[in-house]
Amino acid sequence: MTPPVVLTVAGSDSGAGAGIQADLKVFAALGVYGTSVITALTAQNTREVRAVLPTPADLVTAQLDAVLTDLPVQATKTGMLGTEAVADTVAAHARAGLLPNLVVDPVLVSTSGHRLGVVAAVERLLPYALVVTPNREEAAALVGRPVTTVDEMIAAAERIAARGPRHVVVTGGGDDDTGAGGEAVDVHWTGGESRLLPGAWVATRNTHGTGCSFSAAIAARIALGDEVPAAVVFAKEYVARALAGGRDWKLGTGHGPLDHFGWSRY
């Protein structure tokens, strides 16, 4: 059987925990064929982002056209866009209907705290997105107000949805920032209604690439035929397993990666 094709448009992570590298791991783990367009090169590890070199917009266009004119892409996931010029060329392809089932992960800040994107770049894609997956900090940046409680997550999701995406999933909610209450609650907003997606909180410092992996899993499952609500639930469960599998890993001295392939038993 020919596997479905999924495209990731994102930055390269030299530590391989997030970005293009994480997306391709997720795609392989879930049985889809991953293709890629690299929007930036980064020099980073589990502790820090040392340097970022944005890809020129014309080279992003060339990569997009090379993939889209030859391979039957069934879902697209975007991550770090880096610059407004890059966002413009990606948005132009989306506006032309060339980026099917678009899942936008609004990467703005890395796990180590380095700014990787600008809000204006993400906003370019919102009218064309099927799904947008901000965490609380990214949602706050998009709506211009704090997003900490579940009620604030719901309100932020509604405001983001008003800009065009059919589904908004705000991730990262708990009873407090450490998850001491034992639950990780995400909010899925669609069709004027919200639903809460509770799950067990995984206590680990190895969280690098969580958002990338979540959005990539949604795109993969959509390409495999899931409706969005089922894809979101699957992606949440997949990331929880990946967090649990890698929670005790000693890869690097900062925020380590996830167990995308189930190497660890838990």
Side-chain angles (χ1 to χ4, degrees):
M1 185 182 84
T2 302
V5 177
V6 183
L7 169 63
T8 171
V9 182
S12 172
D13 173 4
S14 53
I20 288 284
Q21 288 84 348
D23 293 344
L24 293 176
K25 289 175 186 177
V26 172
F27 295 161
L30 300 185
V32 299
Y33 184 82
T35 59
S36 62
V37 168
I38 298 176
T39 59
L41 298 177
T42 71
Q44 64 176 293
N45 53 33
T46 64
R47 294 194 312 261
E48 61 185 341
V49 179
R50 298 186 176 185
V52 177
L53 178 64
T55 305
D58 58 352
L59 183 53
V60 172
T61 298
Q63 292 178 81
L64 283 166
D65 292 344
V67 172
L68 296 170
T69 57
D70 185 53
L71 292 157
V73 172
Q74 292 173 251
T76 306
K77 178 256 173 171
T78 64
M80 173 189 175
L81 299 173
T83 67
E84 293 181 48
V86 167
D88 283 339
T89 191
V90 177
H93 283 74
R95 185 166 53 249
L98 300 174
L99 302 180
N101 295 315
L102 179 59
V103 179
V104 174
D105 177 19
V107 176
L108 297 172
V109 180
S110 71
T111 304
S112 60
H114 191 283
R115 182 163 293 279
L116 296 175
V118 293
V119 171
V122 173
E123 289 175 333
R124 300 282 204 282
L125 293 183
L126 294 182
Y128 315 109
L130 173 62
V131 189
V132 181
T133 62
N135 61 30
R136 287 180 296 174
E137 292 78 14
E138 292 159 347
L142 289 171
V143 302
R145 63 179 62 176
V147 177
T148 55
T149 68
V150 170
D151 286 343
E152 289 168 347
M153 292 166 69
I154 293 171
E158 181 177 7
R159 291 188 64 185
I160 294 168
R163 303 184 199 179
R166 283 185 273 166
H167 300 264
V168 179
V169 184
V170 181
T171 65
D175 291 345
D176 58 33
D177 285 341
T178 65
E183 278 198 328
V185 180
D186 300 336
V187 170
H188 180 188
W189 177 274
T190 186
E193 297 181 347
S194 63
R195 63 171 179 158
L196 302 185
L197 304 174
W201 188 279
V202 180
T204 177
R205 69 180 299 171
N206 295 329
T207 58
H208 185 49
T210 304
C212 302
S213 301
F214 178 68
S215 55
I218 292 173
R221 291 301 304 184
I222 290 172
L224 288 165
D226 281 2
E227 297 294 328
V228 171
V232 168
V233 169
F234 178 95
K236 183 175 175 69
E237 294 172 348
Y238 169 76
V239 169
R241 292 194 301 269
L243 283 165
R247 69 177 135 200
D248 296 322
W249 284 4
K250 302 297 189 294
L251 292 176
T253 57
H255 294 283
L258 314 185
D259 181 2
H260 291 103
F261 293 104
W263 285 310
S264 301
R265 294 185 179 275
Y266 47 87

